[in-house]
Structures are given as structure tokens and as C-alpha cells.
Amino acid sequence: MKTLNTYKSVLILALIFLVSSCTNFDEITDDPNRATSVPPSMLLSEVLRVMNNVGDEGPWSEAQRDNQFWAISFDYYGDQDYNWGSAPLRYSTLSNVIAMEKEAANLDTKNKYGALSKFFKAYFLDYMTKRMGDIPMSEALKANTTEKITQPKYDSQKEVYVEILALLEAANTQITLAQTEVGTGNVEGDFLHEGDLSKWQKTINAFRLRVLIGLSKKTAELDVISQFNQVVSNPSKYPLMTGISDNMVRKFADENGNQYELNPSNYGFNRNRNIMGGTYLDILKQNNDPRIYVVADPAKFYYNAADPLNLNAYVAANTGDDQGAMQVASDQGKYSYPSEKRYYSTYSGEDYILIGYAEQQFVIAEAINRGWITGDAGAYYNKGISASMAFYTVADADVATFLASSNITYKGNNTTGLEQILSQKYVAFFQNSEREAYFNYRRTGIPAFNVGPANNNGGKIPMRWKYPQSEFETNKTNVDAALTSQYSGSDDINAKMWLLK
């Protein structure tokens, strides 16, 4: 597979393009002293690079600590608090998406890039709005158009999600047309699905289900349930992922800029400060989950070679724990660390899933549990667990034993069954899918997140991020109006956005 490292030249081109983004793109192409076009394949690679910016939200990043998958013991390298600042905007990337769409329309009447551009618009709008709330949309990126809007208004979160869902419907329609004309490949610059449009279409529809389930509190205001039914009931029109081979993943390798976060070179640097998090590891322990032996090492202090599978030797730290006490216990070998064999023996580690099959199956199981659609929620729940187990190459016999255990056997379309689905979905999100584990907790309260003395946010897990300071400097009237309409004028990280009410 081609990797991000293959596309280093894209960064140079992208910087040139972004520096020029203050000028109308038509003016750029008419300038005889400039290149007359930017290949859509180059723009696609740059968009994917941003989407795959795993340093910010990838494995063992701060995002995964916020998901409570791990804890950090050294205060010199980071903290445990939830006193969040601002979230990033993605309008520079969206300008590349729009340019890609425009260039593709000029060069390719089949417009396979145009189909992907609609997905990216939906993806990045969702990325921003679920972090902050209302965002500029209808007037965004119009500074260099005839309208010359330099201070765009904020659209309501409801309006944003109406547009996101419309974009995903249009993306599915257009990518179907592209496949009938060009087949499943021929998308240059695609290092995620290697140009396979059939996999892209499955990703688009799986993402649409993610968005729809995220709107579970808004079924009375939007046609969430009918759209969910529409997608799931018509696989010929809306194909979905059929296995983990359809996962959208970032692969790592032993090359500059593309090494897994935990690797042999970093062993001495971060091995003894990344501690398995209690919210995650305790779920594995309670259910005698075979994945625990794959992802974690037992605490040396409690390990007994004569009883190597004793779960009592797997001890986690809580996200809210005081770091001083945590460091003392860590030095004494009383905590479990990430598996040395899995994460530190190679530079490839494990694939980083952005959108995956296991999540899709849990989403469908939840929809059935909630009564949105008919079907066997338990079957989809089991498929989600099995898919996650397959990712960790757990033996089939161990998977069967796990699924048959009393804690795991699906308890039916009730509150207990829903908690099972959401808990196992959380487990499957371990070290992947950006902050989806947190967003699912925020929406449902499952699993319960740990709060302790290190919280630094009044004993609360935040509900949102603040708007960037740049908005207050360049678009103050509109951002202030958005805060007034949503959060009583305060850029409060603990305030609830429309999505959560």
C-alpha cells in the first residue's frame, strides 16, 4: 500500500495552494506565471493527509487519553485534566476539497473525485460541529467569490446536519455513477482505499450511519429513523461494509514520518509512562475478555509465571488519578502497560481505523435495540464483537467462548442490551476512530467515564471545545452571536449543544 510518506511532495504543493487561497482560484489559473491547474489527485492526497493526522487524534495521542483508553503518569510529558481549550477549524482543508471538485469537473466528466469531495465536506463539517456546535457553513469560504464574504455567519447545528446528510446522499448517488463508468479503481492519490470506489462507497454509507446514530436525541426534529431505514434496507443502492477488509485504515511502516507511535525507537522514551486506562481495561477484566492478553502486559509486581493468565495481574490506572501517586505505583511495577510484543516490537504496530466494520455493526445493533429498524440486534452485536476480535487475531474458539459467556450474551432489546452494545462498541474503539469513543460516551453516558482529583474541570467531563481565538479576532460579531444563541453568551466547555439536548 502507498503510505503518507509517498506523498511528501503533496505538502509542498498544498502549502503553495494554501498561501494562494486568499485569491480567487479562477484568478490563479488565469495567471500565466502560475501553474494552470492543480491535479485533483494531489489535492486528494493532501485532504487525506489532514484526515489522517494521527499525531493529533491517532493511537496513543491525547485524544485516546481523553477516550480513557490509557493514562499518563509523568506530569512532565502531559496531564490528566479535562480543562479543554479550542478545537481546530478545517476550512483550509475544505478549500482544497472544493478545488479538487472543481478541477475534477474540468478534467473528468465521470467526476469520481467529485463524489469523494461531497463525502469530505460532510466529514469535516461533522468534525467541526460536533466539537463546537454552530459553525460557519453557508457563507464560509466566500471571501474570494463575487459575494466577498469575509465574516461568515454561523449556521445552526441543525442546519449543518441537514446539509451533512444531504451531502452523503449525493455522494452515494454520484459514486454509483462513477463506478458504472470507470469501475472500482482509477482514483489516483488515494492511499487509504487504493482507488477502490466500491470500498469508498461502503465507507460513505457506514459514516452516514455513524452520523445518524449520533443524532439519536433528535429523531423528532430530523428524519433520522427514516434515513437509517433507507440505508440499511437497500444494500444494492447503499452498500455497507461486509467485513474488516473494508475498514478505512491508515497503515504504518518503518519509514520516516510513517512509524507507529509506540515502536522500538520510542521504547525507552514512553514505555513506563503510558499506563492502561481503567475505564477500558476494567471492562476487559470483568468479562474475561481474551483481548486483554493481546493489548496489555500484566503488572510485574503481581505477575506469577505459574499462573500467566491471572486477570488480577492486569491493573489499570484511572484517568482521574493523581499523577504523583500514579508515578510511585508505576515505578513499583504495579500497573499494566501496553503490550510490548504488539506495540514495541515493530514500526508498523497495528492499523489505525478511521471508519470500521465493527463500529457499523454496533450502530445497526443499537438502532434495532432502539426500535428504529427491525432485525436481530444480538446478531449484529455478535458480529461487531467478532470483527474486533478478528482485528486482534483472537482464536475462533476463544471468540465463541466469549460470546457464550453470561456477561456477554445479548440480554435483549432493553436498557441492559443497549448498555452491552455501547460497552462493546467502546472496547472496539480502542486506540482508533479519533474521539468517537468519547462522543459515544457524551451521547449515552456509557461506559461511565472516570472523574477524580486530576480532572481540573470541576469534576466534569466536558461537553464541547471552545471556538478558536482566531474567530474572536476576525469574526467576533458572528461568533459572539453564535455563543449567545447556544450557550447564553459563554464559550463554556461544559455547555450542551443542540445535538445533545
Side-chain angles (χ1 to χ4, degrees):
M1 166 178 276
K2 295 179 181 177
T3 65
L4 292 178
N5 194 49
T6 309
Y7 294 96
K8 281 186 175 179
S9 60
V10 172
L11 302 182
I12 299 173
L13 181 142
L15 287 172
I16 295 171
F17 178 76
L18 291 175
V19 168
S20 304
S21 63
C22 294
T23 306
N24 189 300
F25 192 76
D26 290 332
E27 295 173 7
I28 294 175
T29 57
D30 289 340
D31 186 340
N33 295 317
R34 295 181 184 268
T36 57
S37 66
V38 181
S41 60
M42 290 288 191
L43 293 166
L44 173 61
S45 294
E46 170 59 12
V47 171
L48 293 179
R49 183 195 67 80
V50 176
M51 189 176 177
N52 279 271
N53 192 0
V54 295
D56 291 337
E57 297 201 336
W60 308 101
S61 68
E62 183 177 324
Q64 304 302 339
R65 189 209 62 80
D66 291 342
N67 289 335
Q68 301 206 349
F69 289 136
W70 64 281
I72 184 169
S73 60
F74 280 90
D75 59 5
Y76 179 82
Y77 294 104
D79 55 46
Q80 297 280 91
D81 73 45
Y82 277 94
N83 187 19
W84 289 347
S86 62
L89 296 175
R90 295 300 191 202
Y91 293 108
S92 293
T93 302
L94 282 172
S95 70
N96 276 345
V97 171
I98 292 169
M100 179 183 75
E101 186 174 45
K102 186 170 184 177
E103 284 297 286
N106 291 334
L107 300 174
D108 181 7
T109 57
K110 302 173 183 63
N111 209 353
K112 49 192 176 287
Y113 292 100
L116 297 184
S117 75
K118 291 178 173 60
F119 164 75
F120 290 127
K121 288 176 185 177
Y123 183 90
F124 289 115
L125 287 173
D126 175 69
Y127 179 97
M128 292 186 289
T129 191
K130 70 184 177 186
R131 283 164 172 76
M132 291 168 276
D134 296 357
I135 56 172
M137 181 183 67
S138 58
E139 293 184 353
L141 301 175
K142 290 189 175 182
N144 300 311
T145 67
T146 56
E147 298 174 76
K148 298 188 183 303
I149 298 174
T150 58
Q151 295 180 322
K153 71 174 184 179
Y154 277 60
D155 296 88
S156 72
Q157 191 169 53
K158 179 178 180 179
E159 292 169 329
V160 173
Y161 273 107
V162 168
E163 177 65 11
I164 287 170
L165 293 171
L167 284 166
L168 293 171
E169 171 69 18
N172 180 71
T173 298
Q174 190 165 342
I175 206 166
T176 299
L177 176 62
Q179 287 182 86
T180 61
E181 296 187 354
V182 302
T184 61
N186 300 318
V187 183
E188 296 179 4
D190 172 20
F191 53 78
L192 284 181
H193 283 320
E194 293 293 298
D196 189 334
L197 288 179
S198 66
K199 286 190 175 183
W200 269 109
Q201 186 169 26
K202 294 174 183 178
T203 295
I204 289 167
N205 292 318
F207 180 74
R208 187 172 176 181
L209 295 186
R210 174 194 284 184
V211 171
L212 288 166
I213 206 71
L215 291 163
S216 63
K217 294 181 182 293
K218 294 301 175 183
T219 57
E221 296 184 54
L222 297 176
D223 59 338
V224 172
I225 297 175
S226 63
Q227 286 201 44
F228 202 101
N229 268 281
Q230 177 183 319
V231 173
V232 175
S233 65
N234 194 348
S236 61
K237 183 176 181 180
Y238 303 100
L240 291 167
M241 295 178 176
T242 58
I244 63 173
S245 62
D246 288 328
N247 287 353
M248 174 183 273
V249 297
R250 156 89 180 271
K251 292 184 179 294
F252 299 89
D254 187 6
E255 56 189 18
N256 291 334
N258 193 39
Q259 295 176 346
Y260 193 78
E261 177 68 19
L262 308 186
N263 61 62
S265 296
N266 287 338
Y267 182 87
F269 176 67
N270 58 27
R271 171 62 171 166
N272 65 340
R273 59 184 168 91
N274 293 324
I275 301 170
M276 300 300 295
T279 305
Y280 168 72
L281 201 72
D282 288 347
I283 294 175
L284 300 188
K285 287 178 66 175
Q286 291 163 9
N287 294 322
N288 196 17
D289 193 319
R291 284 171 288 193
I292 198 170
Y293 305 114
V294 180
V295 301
D297 286 335
K300 291 183 178 179
F301 186 88
Y302 302 106
Y303 179 68
N304 180 357
D307 188 14
L309 301 183
N310 188 338
L311 289 173
N312 291 326
Y314 289 82
V315 181
N318 289 315
T319 300
D321 287 351
D322 174 76
Q323 285 182 289
M326 192 189 304
Q327 180 56 55
V328 172
S330 176
D331 290 343
Q332 294 172 342
K334 293 183 177 180
Y335 285 131
S336 291
Y337 301 119
S339 167
E340 181 175 334
K341 177 181 179 180
R342 184 172 182 87
Y343 300 113
Y344 283 101
S345 61
T346 71
Y347 289 90
S348 57
E350 65 185 21
D351 293 349
Y352 174 66
I353 303 170
L354 282 94
I355 302 171
Y357 172 73
E359 176 190 359
Q360 173 192 284
Q361 301 307 91
F362 288 124
V363 166
I364 296 174
E366 179 180 344
I368 297 171
N369 179 285
R370 292 182 181 277
W372 291 10
I373 58 176
T374 60
D376 185 347
Y380 282 100
Y381 162 77
N382 285 345
K383 288 178 182 177
I385 294 173
S386 297
S388 177
M389 294 281 191
F391 179 79
Y392 294 107
T393 62
V394 176
D396 290 345
D398 291 335
V399 176
T401 299
F402 181 74
L403 293 176
S405 63
S406 58
N407 282 358
I408 298 303
T409 300
Y410 186 60
K411 301 301 189 292
N413 295 340
N414 48 45
T415 302
T416 302
L418 179 61
E419 183 173 352
Q420 288 180 296
I421 292 167
L422 294 169
S423 294
Q424 286 302 311
K425 184 181 182 183
Y426 173 80
V427 169
F429 274 139
F430 180 66
Q431 298 302 333
N432 67 67
S433 302
E434 297 181 330
R435 283 185 165 90
E436 284 306 306
Y438 158 76
F439 288 126
N440 275 264
Y441 155 78
R442 183 180 70 172
R443 177 174 64 90
T444 67
I446 300 171
F449 271 25
N450 176 259
V451 176
N455 173 269
N456 199 27
N457 182 40
K460 299 176 182 177
I461 303 296
M463 292 288 103
R464 60 181 292 272
W465 284 261
K466 296 179 180 180
Y467 290 109
Q469 182 60 33
S470 59
E471 281 295 280
F472 295 94
E473 296 169 354
T474 63
N475 196 18
K476 180 172 173 56
T477 298
N478 289 310
V479 71
D480 283 348
L483 288 172
T484 298
S485 66
Q486 297 175 97
Y487 311 122
S488 301
S490 174
D491 202 6
D492 183 2
I493 62 174
N494 297 309
K496 282 190 176 183
M497 59 184 65
W498 169 85
L499 184 67
L500 304 174
K501 295 178 180 178

